[in-house]
Amino acid sequence: MLKKIIEEEHIQKAKRYVEKGNSFLIIAHVSPDGDALGSSLGLYHFLNEYGKDKVSVVVPNNFPSYYKWMPGSKDIVIYDKYPEFAEQLISEADVIFCLDFNEPNRVGKLSEALLAAGGRKVMIDHHPNSADFCRVTMSYPEISSTSELVFRFICRMGMFELISKEAAECIYVGMMTDTGSFTYNSNHPEIYAIIGELIKKGVDKDLIYRKVYQVYSESRMRMMGYALHEKMKLYPKQHTALITLSQDELKRFHYTTGDTEGFVNLPLNISGIKFVAFIREYLDVIKVSLRSTGDFPCNEFAGKYFNGGGHKNASGGEFYGTLPEAVAIFEKGLSELTPLMQEELTKRT
Ligand code: 5GP
Ligand code: MN
């Protein structure tokens, strides 16, 4: 028996929406990652299994090809490709599940349509500081993935039996990717109880690892080598590393969505490095990814310097300007660390 993490009141209210709703819309954040997709598709399969025939998943933009094997991924409506259809689905749904995000601007261009929609909104999420725009807000930052919360939500409604092998596979993807294959945020023993249940449902966890992590192109591998050899700068005093890639460099290595996934984690393998930034130049925006170990709150850094947010150890933000300007802001941020933050970086662990 799992501990009751989600409040009973939330479960009962959302359960009534599930029972009474006719059309359902599941929406996840921009640049959907394994947890956004896994939680959305896990819930999608569950609702189908429950007998609901009007269930759609909408995401703002495309997602990496190594998630395209996930059961149901072909049914996902990508707003960038079908904007009118996506907006129609949002405006017509009785019930809208907001998964793996907690503020409307995380769905990018869809935020207006989402706020305007009349459907009953249910948030299931694990980021800190949730905004108040849903009728039911299930927000649990202590849980390492939204996919785990979806599993808990279904079980608490008493519908564990309705989790199919397909749903279990999707939920597993989210749990695996949001913990770096169970290398961080992964000490909660119940994670492994849940994985046990998912395996009993037919999940082949070793195969899923290979499908997500061992399918990269040659050019991505070479770009990784280049990024580490030529583009990684260390700041020993701050126990920090920075990797940058310009638009030209991305082009040189035939960049496609998802190719730089995981780069930001690599410098954390260096002994003593506790904070990493990966800054890359896309056509319309400079994207910043931050990672840390221990108690260094990189989400505060993301919020203060890059208009972003996220988790304590994994966060990100955006910058509109040039790559050198973004680097200058990052370095300014490093020079302005509070004594407490500096202490987090320098203390022995
Ligand atoms: P990634 O570096 O993998 O793109 O993002 C890591 C985490 O940082 C995400 O799960 C999300 O919580 C957060 N994040 C990334 N980019 C942004 C952003 O632009 N704004 C906010 N608020 N959070 C972000
Ligand atoms: Mn997540």
Side-chain angles (χ1 to χ4, degrees):
M1 206 34 189
L2 298 175
K3 244 173 61 191
K4 291 189 173 174
I5 304 284
I6 306 173
E7 281 98 320
E8 187 61 25
E9 186 197 335
H10 296 335
I11 299 283
Q12 291 311 327
K13 217 165 160 186
K15 188 178 179 186
R16 276 200 303 280
Y17 297 168
V18 168
E19 286 164 352
K20 297 207 174 116
N22 179 40
S23 55
F24 293 81
L25 190 278
I26 300 166
I27 180 168
H29 61 75
V30 73
S31 303
D33 57 10
D35 190 32
L37 295 166
S39 56
S40 296
L41 289 173
L43 188 63
Y44 170 77
H45 290 297
F46 160 74
L47 290 169
N48 282 332
E49 205 68 16
Y50 185 93
K52 304 290 176 179
D53 51 14
K54 284 192 190 156
V55 187
S56 311
V57 179
V58 168
V59 296
N61 57 349
N62 207 352
F63 50 91
S65 58
Y66 47 81
Y67 291 129
K68 301 227 161 154
W69 63 269
M70 288 170 73
S73 71
K74 288 181 187 59
D75 302 334
I76 295 177
V77 177
I78 299 171
Y79 170 80
D80 271 355
K81 288 188 188 161
Y82 306 102
E84 279 152 30
F85 184 44
E87 281 181 3
Q88 185 190 342
L89 289 170
I90 295 174
S91 69
E92 288 176 357
D94 299 333
V95 182
I96 299 176
F97 281 98
C98 300
L99 298 191
D100 205 34
F101 70 96
N102 66 8
E103 45 177 352
N105 66 13
R106 288 287 289 144
V107 293
K109 289 177 232 155
L110 279 170
S111 63
E112 244 174 71
L114 176 62
L115 287 171
R120 289 173 164 73
K121 291 169 200 148
V122 179
M123 180 202 297
I124 306 181
D125 181 61
H126 68 139
H127 293 90
N129 312 319
S130 60
D132 187 15
F133 66 100
C134 293
R135 288 208 191 191
V136 178
T137 299
M138 303 190 208
S139 168
Y140 301 95
E142 71 273 28
I143 298 297
S144 58
S145 66
T146 299
S147 297
E148 178 181 336
L149 286 168
V150 165
F151 180 90
R152 289 175 177 275
F153 169 54
I154 298 170
C155 291
R156 288 283 298 288
M157 289 191 294
M159 301 189 198
F160 171 77
E161 301 306 324
L162 295 184
I163 299 178
S164 61
K165 178 185 173 191
E166 287 74 23
E169 287 175 335
C170 297
I171 289 169
Y172 183 77
V173 167
M175 294 178 67
M176 176 183 81
T177 53
D178 256 23
T179 55
S181 304
F182 310 103
T183 59
Y184 48 78
N185 292 338
S186 55
N187 279 327
H188 198 308
E190 290 189 350
I191 289 175
Y192 303 94
I194 294 171
I195 294 174
E197 296 303 325
L198 297 177
I199 290 174
K200 283 187 223 156
K201 296 267 184 191
V203 164
D204 181 339
K205 65 180 273 302
D206 303 348
L207 179 62
I208 289 181
Y209 182 91
R210 291 202 297 280
K211 282 183 177 179
V212 173
Y213 291 117
Q214 298 182 327
V215 286
Y216 290 120
S217 63
E218 177 188 340
S219 56
R220 167 200 145 96
M221 217 60 194
R222 296 200 184 279
M223 178 160 59
M224 186 192 281
Y226 171 77
L228 292 176
H229 192 258
E230 309 280 333
K231 302 302 307 276
M232 181 175 70
K233 181 171 175 187
L234 298 188
Y235 302 82
K237 232 176 84 196
Q238 285 94 354
H239 298 259
T240 293
L242 166 70
I243 294 176
T244 56
L245 286 174
S246 69
Q247 180 59 218
D248 281 350
E249 289 165 328
L250 292 171
K251 264 200 208 140
R252 191 173 136 199
F253 291 97
H254 317 293
Y255 172 83
T256 62
T257 311
D259 273 357
T260 56
E261 203 63 42
F263 283 18
V264 65
N265 294 306
L266 296 170
L268 288 177
N269 293 342
I270 302 170
S271 173
I273 293 295
K274 295 188 183 149
F275 179 37
V276 181
F278 172 42
I279 306 181
R280 65 270 190 206
E281 180 186 25
Y282 293 136
L283 285 174
D284 51 345
V285 66
I286 305 262
K287 187 74 204 160
V288 180
S289 285
L290 302 174
R291 297 291 185 274
S292 68
T293 55
D295 284 328
F296 183 83
C298 64
N299 50 358
E300 278 179 32
F301 194 98
K304 190 165 172 195
Y305 295 101
F306 293 107
N307 195 27
H311 309 280
K312 184 173 72 180
N313 295 131
S315 61
E318 293 174 350
F319 178 73
Y320 294 88
T322 67
L323 192 55
E325 282 166 359
V327 170
I329 288 177
F330 173 73
E331 292 184 340
K332 180 169 175 284
L334 272 190
S335 71
E336 291 175 352
L337 291 178
T338 63
L340 203 70
M341 284 167 110
Q342 181 69 38
E343 193 185 321
E344 286 305 338
L345 292 177
T346 41
K347 81 178 176 198
R348 287 176 190 276
T349 43

